Amino acid sequence: EAQVTQNPRYLITVTGKKLTVTCSQNMNHEYMSWYRQDPGLGLRQIYYSMNVEVTDKGDVPEGYKVSRKEKRNFPLILESPSPNQTSLYFCASSLSFTGYYEQYFGPGTRLTVT
Amino acid sequence: QQPVQSPQAVILREGEDAVINCSSSKALYSVHWYRQKHGEAPVFLMILLKGGEQKGHDKISASFNEKKQQSSLYLTASQLSYSGTYFCGTRTGNQFYFGTGTSLTVIP
């Protein structure tokens, strides 16, 4: 089944404790992206990747890191999480980024930083 | 750069129609529409491309006015299953921007 998977689905952590949220897609998609969703703000892009080894900042990259060593995986790293990173996170992928192809979203990761 | 959606929220009775609007301050080459049910991931509905091409949901229609940098989503004869939050999305360079969403509630 074609899908985007994320783990963990729920995470409660403390300020400053490094964490990684994994994202994997099995559709051979080139473009992958991370979004955070906060009430009233919609979905905002954190980082995106056009292809392997090519990543770039989105609209709200502060406090996050990513890597794209393999086409299928695009982990999101919070080196020193803070309470303002409490949010719902979605990973998404699309075949390419021409604007013609839809994005497929993972199920989301709800992160709480205390 | 985030598209602006209107209205922010709408409540409909089953069978009624609704229009959701999306406008951008930047030139648009394509507009995407997604629907998100509570607690779930956004799901693709439609893509509208410059030049008139469309792909996506066969029960939902949409328009794209390139000159006005606007798109509208038309939900006709609404069903209970249409409830959710609708997002438009636009591309600027290699980045993707979603609107803040329109909450649609369909009641019996």
Side-chain angles (χ1 to χ4, degrees), chain B residues 3-56:
Chain B
V4 176
Q5 286 184 235
S6 63
Q8 287 187 317
V10 59
I11 299 175
L12 298 173
R13 291 201 178 275
E14 238 180 324
E16 291 182 338
D17 302 338
V19 180
I20 300 173
N21 301 302
C22 174
S23 64
S24 174
S25 59
K26 298 283 186 180
L28 297 178
Y29 299 95
S30 66
V31 177
H32 294 212
W33 286 96
Y34 293 81
R35 177 169 61 208
Q36 184 179 30
K37 302 271 186 179
H38 183 70
E40 298 180 8
V43 173
F44 167 73
L45 292 176
M46 294 194 72
I47 291 175
L48 300 106
L49 298 166
K50 202 173 178 180
E53 189 177 354
Q54 297 185 4
K55 62 180 267 191

Side-chain angles (χ1 to χ4, degrees), chain A residues 65-84:
Chain A
K65 285 176 61 176
V66 293
S67 68
R68 186 100 181 266
K69 296 178 182 174
E70 304 167 276
K71 199 170 188 178
R72 62 184 294 127
N73 296 323
F74 190 45
L76 179 70
I77 303 156
L78 285 73
E79 297 252 341
S80 183
S82 62
N84 64 12

Side-chain angles (χ1 to χ4, degrees), chain A residues 65-112:
Chain A
K65 285 176 61 176
V66 293
S67 68
R68 186 100 181 266
K69 296 178 182 174
E70 304 167 276
K71 199 170 188 178
R72 62 184 294 127
N73 296 323
F74 190 45
L76 179 70
I77 303 156
L78 285 73
E79 297 252 341
S80 183
S82 62
N84 64 12
Q85 292 178 298
T86 291
S87 187
L88 178 58
Y89 292 86
F90 287 102
C91 178
S93 73
S94 66
L95 190 59
S96 73
F97 197 60
T98 61
Y100 185 76
Y101 297 102
E102 64 269 34
Q103 294 189 65
Y104 293 80
F105 285 81
T109 295
R110 187 167 291 281
L111 173 67
T112 302

Side-chain angles (χ1 to χ4, degrees), chain A:
Chain A
E1 179 191 354
Q3 60 183 345
V4 179
T5 57
Q6 286 180 235
N7 282 292
R9 294 288 312 278
Y10 302 90
L11 180 59
I12 300 174
T13 190
V14 296
T15 299
K17 187 176 181 182
K18 182 179 178 179
L19 66 92
T20 299
V21 183
T22 64
C23 171
S24 184
Q25 51 91 6
N26 62 0
M27 296 170 278
N28 203 34
H29 284 174
E30 291 188 348
Y31 187 86
M32 296 187 74
S33 183
W34 276 102
Y35 297 92
R36 61 176 289 172
Q37 185 173 29
D38 304 289
L41 298 178
L43 292 142
R44 293 179 294 165
Q45 195 173 43
I46 303 171
Y47 268 95
Y48 63 91
S49 170
M50 302 291 287
N51 210 327
V52 177
E53 302 292 359
V54 181
T55 64
D56 209 345
K57 296 177 181 178
D59 225 25
V60 287
E62 293 77 21
Y64 305 95
K65 285 176 61 176
V66 293
S67 68
R68 186 100 181 266
K69 296 178 182 174
E70 304 167 276
K71 199 170 188 178
R72 62 184 294 127
N73 296 323
F74 190 45
L76 179 70
I77 303 156
L78 285 73
E79 297 252 341
S80 183
S82 62
N84 64 12
Q85 292 178 298
T86 291
S87 187
L88 178 58
Y89 292 86
F90 287 102
C91 178
S93 73
S94 66
L95 190 59
S96 73
F97 197 60
T98 61
Y100 185 76
Y101 297 102
E102 64 269 34
Q103 294 189 65
Y104 293 80
F105 285 81
T109 295
R110 187 167 291 281
L111 173 67
T112 302
V113 183
T114 61

